[in-house]
Amino acid sequence: MVRDEMTSDQRVENIEDGIANIDFHHPFTPYDVQNQFMKTVYQVLEKGNGQVGILESPTGTGKSLSLICASLTWLRNHKSSAYQTALEAAKSSFKDEPEWMIDQLLRRKREELVRTWEDREKRLENARLKEKAREERVRKKRRIEALVVSRDAGEDDDGDQWMLDDWHDENDHTSAPKDALSALSKESREVLERMGLGGPKQQNDESEALEEEIKIYYTSRTHSQLSQFITELRRPTFPASLPKVLSTGGTETPAELVKLLPLSSRQKLCINPNVSRLKTVQAINDRCAELQQPKSGKKCEFVPREELIAQTHEFRDTSLATIPDIEDLHQLGKSLQVCPYYASRTALPGAEIVTLPYPLLLQKSAREALGIKLEGNVVVVDEAHNIMDAVSNVYAADLRLSELRRCREMLGVYVRKFGKKLKGVNRVNVGRVGRVVEGLSEYMNAALNSKTDHGIVDPNELTRPKGIDQINMFELIQYIHESKLAYKIEGYASHVDSRQEDGKQQAPKSSTPVLHTFVSFLVAFTNLSSEGRVFYQKLPGMPADVQLSYLLLSPTHAFSSIISSARAVILAGGTMSPFEDYKDHLFPMLEESKVTTLSCGHVIPSSNLCVRALAMSRAGGATFEFSYQRRGDVEMISQLGLALLNMCAIVPDGVVVFFPSYGYLDQVTEVWKKKEKTDAQSTWERLQYKKTIFQETKGASSDEVLQKYSEAILGPSLDSDRPGGGALLLSVVGGKMSEGINFSDRLGRLVVVVGLPYPNIASPDWKAKMEYIESSTKTRLLERGGIERSEAATRAKQTARDFYENSCMRAVNQSIGRAIRHRGDYAAIVLLDRRYTSDRIRSKLPGWIQGGLETDAQERGLGGVNGGSGFFLPWEEEVIKLVTHMFQQFMVQKQGVPVKQILGAKPWHHLQLNSILRLTKSGRASMGLATPSWFWKLTDTSPGVFLGVTQESASVRPRASLPRLSVPLWDCDSTWMSAPTLRQGGDPT
């Protein structure tokens, strides 16, 4: 046993020693934090065996590029090692043969490995050449959209296309194959199976040559983030996976392009206008599958079949040869006249890295539909700070009473048309669907008339009306999916609506695909009952409505299939802190030795970040504590306004303030807008005098607000009435401004977080979450043994409390991360609440924020943020210090120095000279001097402009022959620092 442990430790040491000298092929010179991040990723992947890495790297530190360089360097090295291992295995199998025979056999094995690699690369190179030629043709003549037939609606005026196919026996369908190709016709299945997809593996030399043994599955939240990742993927180049020892004569092997495949849904990739025009993913899926059925009168002409084998092969090779994004695949499919959704599956075996959005990876059914197998592969989850919410959202479902009423109405229309034609299984199951609709409607009508506005639903009570509990929901859901019942009923209802006579009285029809919503709720409802809860909530507005919501309380079971299958999983994000939740709720059964955590520092120098936790606005003043009990304190809200007013007077450009909720933001602004009798202006008016104010509102688009906010800061405003210029943005933690928005440079010089945005612990969903976490944690601790029940109960309660607090802190950390977006950026961050001064809360901030946090500033009030720290100085002082510094440096060097070099030097890296000049021109800055004309020249920081100094004068001039501007040299003594007055010389022209 000891020997095994030592062997394991030695293996880890060997891995760490080997990583120290690895070239990660980063396209730029990496920062220290990037090297640290890449080495950690490499180490997790190399260890394998179910390892998990939880890695935090702040936005602006090149996280995506570091992930790419580390993971693909590891993959190429691993593949290279596999070649050498194959050669060693062959050599050991020949050990009993004569020496000359061993040499011959090894030479043949080497040639075989090289030939396989070269054949694949040649085919991909040919595909690249064809793609370039195709691009030229497409540039000259774009056509395709008009290819496809007119709308389905005109094909059959009687609507018979919506009739259900006959189901003679339930077993005929339940025994049908269920794999990635199960929706396709027999012909299409055979074509794709020959290429190595679905069904039994075909012996095919060509597909085996393309097959990659290990893949990297990279997922992120949105398609735009995936597109950004693909753009970064095109930057670096990596060595070929074929080792030098196998290449001819041991020479350097040529570069090998990364083989990428982006996967997506039919909604993004479908090129059949009759299908892609449908409104929902489920409707598109159903219509697509229906067109593949043997009885379908008109099949989709783009799905791979015998006539499209050449185009399908070309699609496969081109997609692997060009590092495409989703739009490129869509356009490639259109140009080749082959379905990108199905043809992309043929490229899956040969891909090294596969990108896909969260829902396609997190749902096991979606992975199976795409033919994704995680066993032995690597999974990289980017933007993983919201992975637990993402898992819950994938399995969540809502259903309203108004939608059930519409379902019942559509069922009635359908049965009146086709009821007499329905036979056997179809008749029975349509009747079952009607019973479920009626039963759920009965329960929801009772909830609508109840005295409480919301609550937890007992599943037994929900399924009792109309005998729903006697129906096998799994079989019914399977029937609905395979018969395309929801699609056919909704399609026929739309068909009828579109043919109603003009002027006929109609009830307003919902545009929502309500039957698909109904089916989604049934699917969610059949999940494990122990991990999910159903809630009801009355909805505001008229007519009165009530909603049922299914919520997944724990992501453990849903995520366990990924953890148990993959070789390694990387969870990476800009604000992953605090880490405990991922361990406790995503993979609680994983051994501690298999989890690696890393919190990287930032790439900015420490002087570019100022972080303060404020307990009060001034020493001895009222304490800031925006708890639920105290947040309505009018005096504290007034002090908050005065604190922001003082900050806006000091901080240039953009200030972003995050509040705990939209309701509290409205409450605060209402207080600020009231004018006290003794005040000439309200707090709101005084803030408006300092900066233009913008406010985020719930439900409204954020784009327009962001655009106007940016224009107020970056737009021309030399004649602005505001002495400080810039803008103030009032936003909400967890709102649209708190995630995915970039407040870089002047857009975010100060970020303020007001209070701690704890969720409403009295809400039914949070009550249920806390109860579930407490009970499941207690059960898990007792199953492990070695602990008393009372101790297990205490620790379980603490785990639930930590989860609640961590949820709050993740939201805070996301808001903080909106500032500091690159190495040259700088900003101040103010955490405005007494509770931020506690060690427990501070420990849950990201490492780079903790490093910039002053631990003794909370009691000093605003003095710890502005003049006291020297981070933001009043403009007058700053100009004096700058000019003093410039002339002192010139007297020492006695030579011309580039203006850009001086203005970029510390401590003037955060000086906005244009803002100073704007202040001077408006006449509101008491700088004690008129502005000489040469001073305006300082705004020209182009490489050709130098500022020179002599014994008598200074000049700002271009290197070329523009007229020289000079002023007599000012005295450079200590009086400059003590008085804001300067002795001004002449202003020569």
Side-chain angles (χ1 to χ4, degrees):
M1 185 67 184
V2 175
R3 183 178 298 175
D4 291 341
E5 290 178 0
M6 288 179 62
T7 304
S8 176
D9 292 341
Q10 287 172 352
R11 181 171 176 269
V12 171
E13 287 179 10
N14 290 338
I15 290 172
E16 292 175 350
D17 291 341
I19 292 173
N21 300 315
I22 285 178
D23 177 5
F24 289 104
H25 311 287
H26 199 286
F28 311 107
T29 303
Y31 304 125
D32 290 341
V33 295
Q34 289 176 319
N35 274 321
Q36 183 187 19
F37 187 88
M38 291 188 290
K39 288 176 181 177
T40 305
V41 171
Y42 195 102
Q43 182 175 324
V44 171
L45 302 189
E46 183 64 18
K47 286 180 181 178
N49 194 29
Q51 288 284 322
V52 176
I54 309 174
L55 313 180
E56 179 179 70
S57 184
T59 304
T61 56
K63 169 172 56 69
S64 295
L65 197 54
S66 297
L67 278 172
I68 290 167
C69 292
S71 58
L72 280 167
T73 297
W74 171 83
L75 183 62
R76 289 289 170 85
N77 288 349
H78 182 83
K79 288 161 65 176
S80 178
S81 298
Y83 278 115
Q84 296 183 31
T85 302
L87 207 58
E88 290 296 324
K91 184 176 181 180
S92 63
S93 65
F94 305 146
K95 62 183 180 181
D96 296 330
E97 302 296 336
E99 193 70 30
W100 64 269
M101 185 176 288
I102 293 176
D103 291 341
Q104 287 291 328
L105 292 171
L106 287 177
R107 183 174 61 80
R108 288 182 187 176
K109 183 65 177 178
R110 256 194 302 268
E111 289 173 352
E112 176 191 332
L113 293 171
V114 172
R115 186 165 55 249
T116 301
W117 183 87
E118 288 179 342
D119 287 347
R120 179 185 62 192
E121 293 305 310
K122 283 177 182 177
R123 189 164 70 252
L124 295 179
E125 180 59 32
N126 289 335
R128 290 183 199 111
L129 296 175
K130 287 182 180 179
E131 178 63 15
K132 289 180 181 178
R134 185 182 300 108
E135 287 172 2
E136 290 298 321
R137 292 197 302 272
V138 170
R139 233 180 251 117
K140 294 176 182 175
K141 191 173 184 182
R142 289 192 174 271
R143 67 195 199 294
I144 194 66
E145 269 80 6
L147 258 187
V148 194
V149 264
S150 61
R151 299 182 56 181
D152 287 344
E155 294 175 3
D156 190 345
D157 289 338
D158 292 334
D160 286 341
Q161 69 199 50
W162 310 113
M163 177 65 184
L164 288 166
D165 295 333
D166 287 338
W167 279 50
H168 300 293
D169 185 356
E170 292 182 2
N171 294 327
D172 291 346
H173 294 269
T174 56
S175 61
K178 301 292 184 297
D179 57 26
L181 311 179
S182 57
L184 293 176
S185 64
K186 182 179 178 181
E187 180 189 8
S188 294
R189 282 182 63 89
E190 289 176 350
V191 169
L192 292 176
E193 281 176 2
R194 286 204 300 272
M195 298 179 188
L197 278 184
K201 189 164 178 76
Q202 305 287 324
Q203 292 299 320
N204 186 326
D205 291 341
E206 183 178 297
S207 61
E208 283 185 4
L210 270 176
E211 182 104 31
E212 291 291 348
E213 184 181 349
I214 292 185
K215 302 184 193 308
I216 298 169
Y217 288 98
Y218 174 92
T219 183
S220 194
R221 194 166 54 90
T222 64
H223 277 285
S224 61
Q225 289 170 339
L226 292 172
S227 296
Q228 187 177 353
F229 174 83
I230 292 171
T231 300
E232 293 291 304
L233 185 59
R234 293 170 180 148
R235 292 178 181 269
T237 56
F238 298 94
S241 55
L242 189 70
K244 290 182 185 179
V245 294
L246 292 182
S247 59
T248 307
T251 59
E252 187 76 33
T253 52
E256 180 181 339
L257 194 70
V258 173
K259 289 173 278 296
L260 164 80
L261 178 66
L263 291 180
S264 189
S265 63
R266 289 180 176 90
Q267 190 177 36
K268 293 284 184 181
L269 290 174
C270 179
I271 60 172
N272 186 334
N274 286 335
V275 179
S276 61
R277 65 180 170 81
L278 298 174
K279 295 178 181 177
T280 66
V281 175
Q282 191 57 53
I284 290 172
N285 291 345
D286 286 351
R287 180 56 177 157
C288 176
E290 186 186 44
L291 291 177
Q292 316 312 323
Q293 298 301 316
K295 295 181 181 179
S296 177
K298 183 171 182 58
K299 296 189 185 309
C300 179
E301 58 188 292
F302 303 110
V303 174
R305 56 186 187 278
E306 290 291 346
E307 295 86 345
L308 293 176
I309 278 187
Q311 292 94 318
T312 305
H313 280 153
E314 188 171 352
F315 184 100
R316 175 197 65 192
D317 292 345
T318 303
S319 60
L320 292 177
T322 53
I323 311 187
D325 57 21
I326 289 297
E327 288 71 25
D328 295 330
L329 285 190
H330 187 270
Q331 188 59 44
L332 177 62
K334 289 169 75 174
S335 63
L336 292 174
Q337 294 289 278
V338 65
C339 173
Y341 178 75
Y342 283 112
S344 62
R345 315 287 187 83
T346 63
L348 189 57
E352 292 180 295
I353 183 165
V354 178
T355 62
L356 65 171
Y358 278 173
L360 298 187
L361 178 84
L362 298 178
Q363 264 186 315
K364 190 173 183 180
S365 58
R367 296 199 301 270
E368 290 172 348
L370 289 168
I372 293 173
K373 295 179 176 63
L374 298 182
E375 288 76 9
N377 292 315
V378 170
V379 174
V380 177
V381 182
D382 203 357
E383 301 300 326
H385 60 271
N386 54 18
I387 186 65
M388 288 184 288
D389 292 336
V391 173
S392 296
N393 291 339
V394 163
Y395 290 92
D398 298 321
L399 182 64
R400 298 186 178 191
L401 178 59
S402 57
E403 292 169 335
L404 279 177
R405 289 169 178 161
R406 175 63 177 153
C407 284
R408 183 169 51 192
E409 182 183 338
M410 290 193 295
L411 267 171
V413 171
Y414 189 84
V415 170
R416 281 194 293 273
K417 170 66 177 177
F418 299 108
K420 293 181 180 179
K421 299 180 182 180
L422 296 176
K423 300 175 184 177
V425 177
N426 285 334
R427 178 181 288 275
V428 170
N429 281 307
V430 170
R432 288 174 178 168
V433 171
R435 273 174 62 194
V436 174
V437 170
E438 291 291 339
L440 293 178
S441 298
E442 183 177 320
Y443 180 90
M444 294 176 75
N445 275 312
L448 187 62
N449 296 321
S450 68
K451 295 181 180 180
T452 55
D453 291 337
H454 52 72
I456 299 177
V457 176
D458 182 346
N460 295 323
E461 293 293 328
L462 181 62
T463 57
R464 185 167 293 128
K466 305 299 181 185
I468 300 175
D469 52 358
Q470 303 301 312
I471 296 174
N472 187 325
M473 285 292 179
F474 293 97
E475 287 185 1
L476 183 60
I477 290 168
Q478 184 180 349
Y479 167 81
I480 293 171
H481 282 155
E482 295 181 6
S483 67
K484 311 297 177 285
L485 177 69
Y487 165 71
K488 288 178 180 289
I489 292 177
E490 291 206 20
Y492 180 70
S494 298
H495 171 85
V496 171
D497 290 344
S498 65
R499 276 159 175 65
Q500 296 210 345
E501 295 179 1
D502 292 337
K504 186 175 180 179
Q505 188 71 25
Q506 299 182 52
K509 300 294 190 295
S510 169
S511 61
T512 307
V514 291
L515 265 166
H516 286 107
T517 303
F518 165 74
V519 175
S520 296
F521 182 81
L522 292 187
V523 172
F525 186 61
T526 56
N527 278 338
L528 290 174
S529 59
S530 63
E531 293 198 341
R533 294 285 187 279
V534 179
F535 306 90
Y536 76 86
Q537 180 180 10
K538 293 180 183 178
L539 302 176
M542 293 298 292
D545 205 353
V546 65
Q547 177 174 282
L548 291 178
S549 300
Y550 176 86
L551 176 67
L552 188 69
L553 299 178
S554 170
T556 303
H557 180 76
F559 202 73
S560 63
S561 61
I562 296 174
I563 293 292
S564 61
S565 301
R567 172 194 174 95
V569 176
I570 299 290
L571 303 179
T575 49
M576 296 294 289
S577 299
F579 291 150
E580 292 77 16
D581 278 359
Y582 308 102
K583 301 175 187 177
D584 293 341
H585 306 292
L586 278 182
F587 30 85
M589 306 307 291
L590 200 64
E591 309 96 275
E592 192 70 26
S593 61
K594 287 192 173 183
V595 181
T596 300
T597 60
L598 173 69
S599 180
C600 290
H602 216 299
V603 295
I604 59 170
S606 58
S607 58
N608 284 29
L609 177 65
C610 171
V611 185
R612 300 291 182 270
L614 290 190
M616 57 192 67
S617 61
R618 63 183 184 277
T623 302
F624 286 135
E625 185 183 323
F626 297 91
S627 60
Y628 184 76
Q629 293 77 15
R630 286 202 57 205
R631 64 173 58 174
D633 186 336
V634 174
E635 175 61 24
M636 186 173 66
I637 294 175
S638 299
Q639 288 298 317
L640 170 64
L642 294 177
L644 285 178
L645 190 63
N646 286 328
M647 293 182 204
C648 289
I650 297 299
V651 179
D653 301 318
V655 175
V656 185
V657 184
F658 289 102
F659 288 82
S661 67
Y662 289 101
Y664 190 59
L665 172 57
D666 292 339
Q667 182 180 346
V668 167
T669 55
E670 185 179 342
V671 172
W672 287 350
K673 289 177 181 178
K674 290 180 181 177
K675 188 188 298 183
E676 298 294 333
K677 294 180 180 179
T678 56
D679 294 336
Q681 291 180 309
S682 67
T683 301
W684 185 264
E685 290 170 333
R686 294 170 69 184
L687 282 169
Q688 283 182 316
Y689 177 72
K690 294 291 184 184
K691 292 184 184 292
T692 308
I693 302 177
F694 298 92
Q695 182 174 341
E696 180 184 0
T697 54
K698 190 173 185 177
S701 171
S702 60
D703 295 340
E704 185 178 353
V705 174
L706 279 173
Q707 183 179 351
K708 290 182 178 179
Y709 172 75
S710 301
E711 288 173 354
I713 296 168
L714 305 177
S717 55
L718 284 177
D719 297 322
S720 170
D721 292 333
R722 294 174 182 81
L728 171 66
L729 177 61
L730 306 178
S731 187
V732 172
V733 175
K736 294 179 180 178
M737 307 291 184
S738 66
E739 185 167 349
I741 304 298
N742 184 354
F743 292 114
S744 63
D745 299 314
R746 297 173 61 194
L747 296 181
R749 287 298 178 221
L750 172 64
V751 173
V752 180
V753 181
V754 177
L756 284 159
Y758 284 104
N760 180 7
I761 200 169
S763 65
D765 55 338
W766 267 100
K767 272 186 178 179
K769 278 185 180 180
M770 298 287 280
E771 289 172 2
Y772 176 82
I773 291 170
E774 189 174 329
S775 62
S776 60
T777 303
K778 181 180 177 181
T779 301
R780 189 167 63 249
L781 290 172
L782 291 173
E783 286 175 352
R784 290 178 182 173
I787 187 172
E788 296 292 331
R789 295 188 70 86
S790 59
E791 175 65 17
T794 302
R795 287 174 59 180
K797 284 183 180 293
Q798 186 59 48
T799 299
R801 284 196 293 267
D802 286 342
F803 179 81
Y804 178 66
E805 189 167 79
N806 292 346
S807 176
C808 164
M809 291 308 298
R810 274 197 302 275
V812 169
N813 294 341
Q814 270 299 106
S815 300
I816 291 172
R818 299 309 92 211
I820 310 285
R821 311 296 284 189
H822 58 84
R823 182 174 176 80
D825 206 352
Y826 67 92
I829 296 169
V830 176
L831 307 173
L832 233 163
D833 195 295
R834 177 190 61 79
R835 292 168 291 176
Y836 283 112
T837 64
S838 73
D839 292 338
R840 191 185 75 258
I841 293 295
R842 286 182 173 186
S843 68
K844 297 182 179 185
L845 293 168
W848 65 280
I849 293 292
Q850 292 185 45
L853 182 63
E854 277 197 19
T855 57
D856 61 345
Q858 62 264 23
E859 304 299 335
R860 300 207 309 263
L862 288 174
V865 178
N866 44 48
S869 69
F871 194 81
F872 291 115
L873 294 174
W875 290 124
E876 297 87 355
E877 287 184 55
E878 197 131 342
V879 171
I880 295 168
K881 285 193 174 186
L882 171 64
V883 176
T884 303
H885 170 78
M886 287 165 57
F887 280 95
Q888 286 174 339
Q889 292 300 309
F890 297 157
M891 289 301 292
V892 172
Q893 296 181 23
K894 294 187 178 181
Q895 60 181 358
V897 180
V899 169
K900 190 168 186 177
Q901 177 180 326
I902 290 298
L903 295 185
K906 295 178 182 178
W908 319 114
H909 60 279
H910 57 278
L911 177 62
Q912 294 294 330
L913 198 60
N914 282 315
S915 299
I916 297 174
L917 297 180
R918 184 165 63 244
L919 293 175
T920 306
K921 185 174 182 180
S922 66
R924 292 189 175 87
S926 56
M927 293 169 58
L929 69 159
T931 307
S933 59
W934 69 266
F935 199 62
W936 291 93
K937 279 287 183 181
L938 289 176
T939 58
D940 188 354
T941 56
S942 55
V945 175
F946 274 63
L947 196 152
V949 65
T950 64
Q951 193 77 23
E952 295 84 18
S953 65
S955 67
V956 179
R957 58 187 174 82
R959 191 177 290 168
S961 57
L962 286 178
R964 174 172 175 158
L965 299 170
S966 63
V967 293
L969 193 63
W970 290 332
D971 292 333
C972 298
D973 56 30
S974 59
T975 59
W976 282 37
M977 304 305 296
S978 58
T981 55
L982 303 178
R983 205 151 43 82
Q984 168 63 40
D987 185 10
T989 57

